[in-house]
Amino acid sequence: MALAPSYEAPPAVPVHVAIIMDGNGRWAKARGLPRIAGHRQGAEAVRAAVRSCADLGVSYLTIYAFSSENWKRPPAEVDDLMGLLRLYLRRELAALERDGVRIRFIGDRSRLAPDITRLITESESSTAGNGQLTLTIALNYGGRYEILDAVRRIAAAARRGEFEPDDITEPIFEQYLQTTDVPDPDLLIRTSGEQRLSNFLLWQSAYTELVFTPTLWPDFKHHHLEEAIHEYQRRERRYGGTGG
Ligand code: IPE
Ligand code: IPE
Ligand code: MG
């Protein structure tokens, strides 16, 4: 017997997925390994997540790689994380270019090593023409700093007489954020069981659906992303309205 055809549109895939990749240290600890081993495995998970997002039709993926507070970690761990980023960019750039991925970075670049800043600029310019998936890497990123920096530049523009304080609207404010040409995240996933934003995309996630999973980031696979997207698709986004 033929099944009755369904005329319902398939639930929408989120346009923009943001991920707080957490739990590398605990993954390593559980195996009696140094934290760097967790970060290394975490970099593999990034590679897989980028591919999964492209396969599932996600247009924007933003990943939290290093927060402005992560400098509090021991210098050796910070060095390891920066070293992995170098390795990832050098090793993955050709594949990302080929797969149509556009790379952009958000965060304060002034404190990064010069060779990393160069790698960042190179990877942004060599992938600038790509349109399949925009991968934003948040590196030395903090949401409060981003907002404060926008406020400072807007205040300076107002002092130059470019506009009156009353004319500053949300769309104008957003032009001063580092995410200016990227839509707000639809879905934000945090791994490892922690349920907080840790200074990630504070302005942008005002109406984002949050999904928390106990899975540690190095264990995060394609099916975990699919599960998070299914959870997202079950949510009713109301934006302050009554729904329906
Ligand atoms: C996430 O894993 C990676 C970064 C924050 C750079 P953690 O290193 O925070 O892992 P846990 O939270 O200690 O397990
Ligand atoms: C958030 O994770 C930052 C990144 C994933 C890069 P943390 O592990 O640094 O966050 P807290 O300290 O647990 O809030
Ligand atoms: Mg952590």
Side-chain angles (χ1 to χ4, degrees), residues 226-239:
E226 282 185 318
E227 280 158 26
I229 290 178
H230 288 149
E231 167 71 29
Y232 164 83
Q233 289 169 334
R234 285 193 292 272
R235 305 269 179 94
E236 187 192 358
R237 303 186 79 183
R238 287 202 289 270
Y239 301 98

PDB file of all heavy atoms in Angstrom, residues 226-239:
ATOM      1  N   GLU A 226      23.476  16.161  13.723  1.00  0.00           N
ATOM      2  CA  GLU A 226      22.114  15.893  13.226  1.00  0.00           C
ATOM      3  C   GLU A 226      21.106  15.908  14.377  1.00  0.00           C
ATOM      4  O   GLU A 226      20.012  16.464  14.244  1.00  0.00           O
ATOM      5  CB  GLU A 226      22.066  14.544  12.521  1.00  0.00           C
ATOM      6  CG  GLU A 226      22.633  14.592  11.121  1.00  0.00           C
ATOM      7  CD  GLU A 226      22.465  13.265  10.408  1.00  0.00           C
ATOM      8  OE1 GLU A 226      22.687  12.207  11.058  1.00  0.00           O
ATOM      9  OE2 GLU A 226      22.125  13.277   9.218  1.00  0.00           O
ATOM     10  N   GLU A 227      21.482  15.303  15.510  1.00  0.00           N
ATOM     11  CA  GLU A 227      20.575  15.293  16.671  1.00  0.00           C
ATOM     12  C   GLU A 227      20.296  16.717  17.155  1.00  0.00           C
ATOM     13  O   GLU A 227      19.162  17.066  17.481  1.00  0.00           O
ATOM     14  CB  GLU A 227      21.180  14.478  17.826  1.00  0.00           C
ATOM     15  CG  GLU A 227      20.984  12.975  17.645  1.00  0.00           C
ATOM     16  CD  GLU A 227      22.010  12.155  18.440  1.00  0.00           C
ATOM     17  OE1 GLU A 227      22.521  12.660  19.463  1.00  0.00           O
ATOM     18  OE2 GLU A 227      22.275  11.020  18.016  1.00  0.00           O
ATOM     19  N   ALA A 228      21.335  17.540  17.204  1.00  0.00           N
ATOM     20  CA  ALA A 228      21.148  18.933  17.655  1.00  0.00           C
ATOM     21  C   ALA A 228      20.224  19.668  16.684  1.00  0.00           C
ATOM     22  O   ALA A 228      19.365  20.455  17.100  1.00  0.00           O
ATOM     23  CB  ALA A 228      22.494  19.638  17.769  1.00  0.00           C
ATOM     24  N   ILE A 229      20.387  19.402  15.395  1.00  0.00           N
ATOM     25  CA  ILE A 229      19.539  20.055  14.392  1.00  0.00           C
ATOM     26  C   ILE A 229      18.094  19.563  14.520  1.00  0.00           C
ATOM     27  O   ILE A 229      17.148  20.348  14.425  1.00  0.00           O
ATOM     28  CB  ILE A 229      20.110  19.857  12.961  1.00  0.00           C
ATOM     29  CG1 ILE A 229      21.400  20.669  12.822  1.00  0.00           C
ATOM     30  CG2 ILE A 229      19.097  20.277  11.895  1.00  0.00           C
ATOM     31  CD1 ILE A 229      22.109  20.543  11.494  1.00  0.00           C
ATOM     32  N   HIS A 230      17.914  18.278  14.801  1.00  0.00           N
ATOM     33  CA  HIS A 230      16.548  17.764  15.011  1.00  0.00           C
ATOM     34  C   HIS A 230      15.912  18.435  16.232  1.00  0.00           C
ATOM     35  O   HIS A 230      14.744  18.819  16.207  1.00  0.00           O
ATOM     36  CB  HIS A 230      16.544  16.235  15.183  1.00  0.00           C
ATOM     37  CG  HIS A 230      16.824  15.531  13.891  1.00  0.00           C
ATOM     38  ND1 HIS A 230      17.467  14.318  13.827  1.00  0.00           N
ATOM     39  CD2 HIS A 230      16.560  15.882  12.613  1.00  0.00           C
ATOM     40  CE1 HIS A 230      17.576  13.962  12.557  1.00  0.00           C
ATOM     41  NE2 HIS A 230      17.046  14.898  11.800  1.00  0.00           N
ATOM     42  N   GLU A 231      16.694  18.568  17.287  1.00  0.00           N
ATOM     43  CA  GLU A 231      16.195  19.257  18.485  1.00  0.00           C
ATOM     44  C   GLU A 231      15.771  20.689  18.122  1.00  0.00           C
ATOM     45  O   GLU A 231      14.699  21.159  18.499  1.00  0.00           O
ATOM     46  CB  GLU A 231      17.299  19.247  19.561  1.00  0.00           C
ATOM     47  CG  GLU A 231      17.085  20.161  20.752  1.00  0.00           C
ATOM     48  CD  GLU A 231      15.989  19.696  21.691  1.00  0.00           C
ATOM     49  OE1 GLU A 231      15.763  18.480  21.764  1.00  0.00           O
ATOM     50  OE2 GLU A 231      15.357  20.574  22.328  1.00  0.00           O
ATOM     51  N   TYR A 232      16.607  21.356  17.358  1.00  0.00           N
ATOM     52  CA  TYR A 232      16.304  22.719  16.887  1.00  0.00           C
ATOM     53  C   TYR A 232      14.996  22.743  16.100  1.00  0.00           C
ATOM     54  O   TYR A 232      14.158  23.634  16.266  1.00  0.00           O
ATOM     55  CB  TYR A 232      17.469  23.210  16.018  1.00  0.00           C
ATOM     56  CG  TYR A 232      17.160  24.414  15.172  1.00  0.00           C
ATOM     57  CD1 TYR A 232      17.231  25.693  15.702  1.00  0.00           C
ATOM     58  CD2 TYR A 232      16.785  24.261  13.827  1.00  0.00           C
ATOM     59  CE1 TYR A 232      16.943  26.791  14.919  1.00  0.00           C
ATOM     60  CE2 TYR A 232      16.494  25.350  13.050  1.00  0.00           C
ATOM     61  CZ  TYR A 232      16.575  26.619  13.591  1.00  0.00           C
ATOM     62  OH  TYR A 232      16.276  27.712  12.824  1.00  0.00           O
ATOM     63  N   GLN A 233      14.823  21.729  15.252  1.00  0.00           N
ATOM     64  CA  GLN A 233      13.631  21.700  14.392  1.00  0.00           C
ATOM     65  C   GLN A 233      12.341  21.445  15.183  1.00  0.00           C
ATOM     66  O   GLN A 233      11.257  21.730  14.713  1.00  0.00           O
ATOM     67  CB  GLN A 233      13.816  20.654  13.288  1.00  0.00           C
ATOM     68  CG  GLN A 233      14.842  21.119  12.266  1.00  0.00           C
ATOM     69  CD  GLN A 233      15.283  20.042  11.302  1.00  0.00           C
ATOM     70  OE1 GLN A 233      15.223  18.854  11.630  1.00  0.00           O
ATOM     71  NE2 GLN A 233      15.737  20.437  10.133  1.00  0.00           N
ATOM     72  N   ARG A 234      12.503  20.890  16.391  1.00  0.00           N
ATOM     73  CA  ARG A 234      11.317  20.671  17.246  1.00  0.00           C
ATOM     74  C   ARG A 234      10.933  21.930  18.024  1.00  0.00           C
ATOM     75  O   ARG A 234       9.863  22.012  18.608  1.00  0.00           O
ATOM     76  CB  ARG A 234      11.576  19.519  18.231  1.00  0.00           C
ATOM     77  CG  ARG A 234      11.523  18.128  17.600  1.00  0.00           C
ATOM     78  CD  ARG A 234      11.471  17.051  18.672  1.00  0.00           C
ATOM     79  NE  ARG A 234      12.709  16.965  19.425  1.00  0.00           N
ATOM     80  CZ  ARG A 234      13.765  16.210  19.071  1.00  0.00           C
ATOM     81  NH1 ARG A 234      13.708  15.476  17.981  1.00  0.00           N
ATOM     82  NH2 ARG A 234      14.841  16.186  19.812  1.00  0.00           N
ATOM     83  N   ARG A 235      11.824  22.892  18.071  1.00  0.00           N
ATOM     84  CA  ARG A 235      11.557  24.103  18.850  1.00  0.00           C
ATOM     85  C   ARG A 235      10.613  25.021  18.094  1.00  0.00           C
ATOM     86  O   ARG A 235      10.615  25.061  16.872  1.00  0.00           O
ATOM     87  CB  ARG A 235      12.873  24.870  19.112  1.00  0.00           C
ATOM     88  CG  ARG A 235      13.967  24.057  19.784  1.00  0.00           C
ATOM     89  CD  ARG A 235      13.891  24.168  21.271  1.00  0.00           C
ATOM     90  NE  ARG A 235      14.922  23.365  21.919  1.00  0.00           N
ATOM     91  CZ  ARG A 235      16.109  23.823  22.296  1.00  0.00           C
ATOM     92  NH1 ARG A 235      16.442  25.083  22.080  1.00  0.00           N
ATOM     93  NH2 ARG A 235      16.974  23.025  22.895  1.00  0.00           N
ATOM     94  N   GLU A 236       9.862  25.803  18.863  1.00  0.00           N
ATOM     95  CA  GLU A 236       9.025  26.823  18.244  1.00  0.00           C
ATOM     96  C   GLU A 236       9.644  28.175  18.551  1.00  0.00           C
ATOM     97  O   GLU A 236       9.732  28.587  19.716  1.00  0.00           O
ATOM     98  CB  GLU A 236       7.601  26.755  18.818  1.00  0.00           C
ATOM     99  CG  GLU A 236       6.654  27.683  18.094  1.00  0.00           C
ATOM    100  CD  GLU A 236       5.323  27.864  18.813  1.00  0.00           C
ATOM    101  OE1 GLU A 236       5.135  27.229  19.868  1.00  0.00           O
ATOM    102  OE2 GLU A 236       4.505  28.654  18.339  1.00  0.00           O
ATOM    103  N   ARG A 237      10.084  28.849  17.517  1.00  0.00           N
ATOM    104  CA  ARG A 237      10.730  30.151  17.733  1.00  0.00           C
ATOM    105  C   ARG A 237       9.656  31.224  17.728  1.00  0.00           C
ATOM    106  O   ARG A 237       8.924  31.379  16.767  1.00  0.00           O
ATOM    107  CB  ARG A 237      11.765  30.403  16.632  1.00  0.00           C
ATOM    108  CG  ARG A 237      12.788  29.296  16.577  1.00  0.00           C
ATOM    109  CD  ARG A 237      13.890  29.603  15.595  1.00  0.00           C
ATOM    110  NE  ARG A 237      14.867  30.536  16.140  1.00  0.00           N
ATOM    111  CZ  ARG A 237      15.893  31.001  15.427  1.00  0.00           C
ATOM    112  NH1 ARG A 237      16.024  30.683  14.163  1.00  0.00           N
ATOM    113  NH2 ARG A 237      16.756  31.823  15.989  1.00  0.00           N
ATOM    114  N   ARG A 238       9.561  31.962  18.809  1.00  0.00           N
ATOM    115  CA  ARG A 238       8.460  32.915  18.931  1.00  0.00           C
ATOM    116  C   ARG A 238       8.890  34.378  18.922  1.00  0.00           C
ATOM    117  O   ARG A 238       8.093  35.259  18.718  1.00  0.00           O
ATOM    118  CB  ARG A 238       7.647  32.608  20.192  1.00  0.00           C
ATOM    119  CG  ARG A 238       6.800  31.362  20.031  1.00  0.00           C
ATOM    120  CD  ARG A 238       5.635  31.370  21.003  1.00  0.00           C
ATOM    121  NE  ARG A 238       6.072  31.172  22.364  1.00  0.00           N
ATOM    122  CZ  ARG A 238       6.186  29.979  22.952  1.00  0.00           C
ATOM    123  NH1 ARG A 238       5.920  28.887  22.295  1.00  0.00           N
ATOM    124  NH2 ARG A 238       6.594  29.889  24.196  1.00  0.00           N
ATOM    125  N   TYR A 239      10.142  34.645  19.191  1.00  0.00           N
ATOM    126  CA  TYR A 239      10.662  36.029  19.159  1.00  0.00           C
ATOM    127  C   TYR A 239       9.791  37.010  19.957  1.00  0.00           C
ATOM    128  O   TYR A 239       9.595  38.155  19.550  1.00  0.00           O
ATOM    129  CB  TYR A 239      10.793  36.529  17.713  1.00  0.00           C
ATOM    130  CG  TYR A 239      11.706  35.687  16.850  1.00  0.00           C
ATOM    131  CD1 TYR A 239      11.188  34.714  15.991  1.00  0.00           C
ATOM    132  CD2 TYR A 239      13.091  35.832  16.906  1.00  0.00           C
ATOM    133  CE1 TYR A 239      12.015  33.930  15.203  1.00  0.00           C
ATOM    134  CE2 TYR A 239      13.926  35.054  16.127  1.00  0.00           C
ATOM    135  CZ  TYR A 239      13.387  34.111  15.283  1.00  0.00           C
ATOM    136  OH  TYR A 239      14.192  33.345  14.500  1.00  0.00           O
TER     137      TYR A 239
END
